[in-house]
Amino acid sequence: MEVKLIAYTPDADKIVAAAAKLCYSKSDIPTLMDGLTPEKTEDFLNMLSDLGHESPVEHATFTFGIEGVSRALLAQLTRHRIASFSVQSQRYVSKLDFDYVIPPEIEAIPEAKAEFIKAMEEDAEHYENLRRMLIESHKARLVSEGKDEKSALKAAEKLANEDARFVLPNACDTKIIMTMNVRSLYNFFSLRCCNRAQWEIRELATKMLALVREVAPNLFKNAGPSCVSGACSEGAYTCGKAAEVRRKFKFSGSGTNE
């Protein structure tokens, strides 16, 4: 898995503090940014956190480039609706010799890993065979309809990808660009950094949190699973390791976890 922070709102802390200042003072727009020293900015952010007032943080966004993750992760990720996603298409991009993600529990058992790899190789073979059959069929039809050979082949490959992809596994790799505002990221981290989250999306969320803490430490110093800043929200399903989780996600003040 590779995760990069490829863009974000400049001076995100200050933008959010300005929005908070507008809500709670008589400031007008031309002078709103005046006097927002680092200390004042932090004070406003702390106030928002104490009050649980999260709408001002929606003014800051962060964009991530993600690769080496599975389509199974993508299905979970897109449940977070207040976000923007661009995903590598399996219609327009051929997945011949596709890469795939091996779950750690399978990786740890040699016999299971061998079985898993065999399944991936079989899926790849089925995909290649189906794609070839579909290309031949579509090309013949398109040529008969008057397309030249080159144009017919190009169109046939796209049409073949569209149906051959149905045999691809959840483990098949994908690439994603995702943008979220800070409020959505708070929710994402509270759910997906949790020990109860599925291992792959938990790894993604943990990497993302480390990245945003580097560039906007005041905004994200209290971010993480729910037990970091309060009680566990999982009720009877708690992992029972709140103290350990708090240590893991404790903010060190340097933009990273301790």
Side-chain angles (χ1 to χ4, degrees), residues 20-183:
K21 182 180 177 182
L22 183 67
C23 292
Y24 294 103
S25 74
K26 292 183 177 181
S27 299
D28 52 26
I29 299 300
T31 61
L32 191 59
M33 305 295 280
D34 294 352
L36 279 181
T37 63
E39 293 75 22
K40 282 287 186 182
T41 294
E42 186 172 2
D43 286 345
F44 273 114
L45 298 184
N46 289 338
M47 179 189 71
L48 292 176
S49 180
D50 291 342
L51 294 173
H53 184 189
E54 292 188 342
S55 62
V57 304
E58 294 178 15
H59 295 292
T61 63
F62 293 76
T63 299
F64 304 87
I66 303 163
E67 62 182 356
V69 296
S70 70
R71 298 289 289 201
L73 179 142
L74 176 63
Q76 299 178 79
L77 194 59
T78 51
R79 291 175 186 169
H80 294 270
R81 297 172 185 84
I82 305 178
S84 299
F85 303 96
S86 296
V87 182
Q88 187 179 68
S89 173
Q90 290 183 345
R91 291 180 67 199
Y92 293 94
V93 179
S94 165
K95 296 303 289 184
L96 290 171
D97 300 317
F98 61 84
D99 291 327
Y100 50 84
V101 175
I102 304 179
E105 294 294 331
I106 292 178
E107 180 90 43
I109 305 169
E111 297 86 353
K113 182 179 178 181
E115 184 70 20
F116 187 88
I117 291 172
K118 180 182 176 184
M120 295 301 102
E121 290 173 346
E122 289 174 355
D123 284 347
E125 184 179 354
H126 291 311
Y127 175 81
E128 184 176 355
N129 289 339
L130 286 167
R131 187 172 178 275
R132 174 177 45 78
M133 295 173 194
L134 289 164
I135 288 173
E136 290 173 0
S137 175
H138 287 307
K139 182 183 174 185
R141 174 178 57 79
L142 292 168
V143 168
S144 72
E145 292 173 355
K147 276 190 177 287
D148 62 83
E149 289 269 340
K150 185 176 180 180
S151 298
L153 177 59
K154 186 175 181 179
E157 287 177 340
K158 175 186 170 294
L159 291 168
N161 290 343
E162 190 168 297
D163 290 332
R165 64 179 169 158
F166 276 74
V167 80
L168 292 172
N170 268 338
C172 184
D173 76 306
T174 192
K175 298 177 177 68
I176 306 161
I177 288 180
M178 177 179 72
T179 300
M180 281 186 175
N181 68 44
V182 174
R183 193 176 194 176

